[in-house]
Amino acid sequence: MYYKFSGFSQKLVGAVASAAYVPQGLKPLASTESPTLIFGTPTKLASDLPAAVSYLGKNKVPDLQKLFQADGLPIHLKRGVPDQLLYRTTMALTIGGTIYCLVALYMASQPKSKK
């Protein structure tokens, strides 16, 4: 037997299965209406687009890779000694700053001794 809440008597009363599973005041979870359109123009599916979309332009990455990687040197070392000096200085400062931070964290984690 199925039961549902009666709004009149404020008690559970016997009911048929369809009334018990869809009580008064509750709506089904799935909406039958489509949601409102947010954007003014409808979107296009990727399958509807042509193979080469005109507004994206030409892919320039392969050309730039050929230009900058012709001799196999990384881009940050292309200009020789000045780039090497800048790169090594940056790496030294980074490693030094990391060590300094770790030492500061270690010292902050140790309690001060009272003398």
Side-chain angles (χ1 to χ4, degrees), residues 18-61:
S18 61
Y21 285 121
V22 185
Q24 296 172 346
L26 296 179
K27 296 179 181 177
L29 293 177
S31 175
T32 56
E33 299 176 4
S34 63
T36 58
L37 185 64
I38 296 174
F39 300 105
T41 58
T43 57
K44 294 181 180 179
L45 297 175
S47 60
D48 295 342
L49 294 175
V53 181
S54 61
Y55 60 85
L56 291 179
K58 183 179 179 273
N59 187 5
K60 297 177 184 176
V61 173

Side-chain angles (χ1 to χ4, degrees), residues 4 8 10 14 24 31 34 45 52 56 58 72 90 103 105 109:
K4 75 173 191 171
F8 179 72
Q10 301 294 315
Q24 296 172 346
S31 175
S34 63
L45 297 175
L56 291 179
K58 183 179 179 273
T90 303
V103 168
L105 282 171
S109 68

Side-chain angles (χ1 to χ4, degrees), residues 86-104:
L86 184 61
Y87 175 74
R88 290 179 181 158
T89 303
T90 303
M91 286 299 112
L93 288 172
T94 303
I95 292 169
T98 303
I99 292 171
Y100 178 77
C101 286
L102 291 174
V103 168

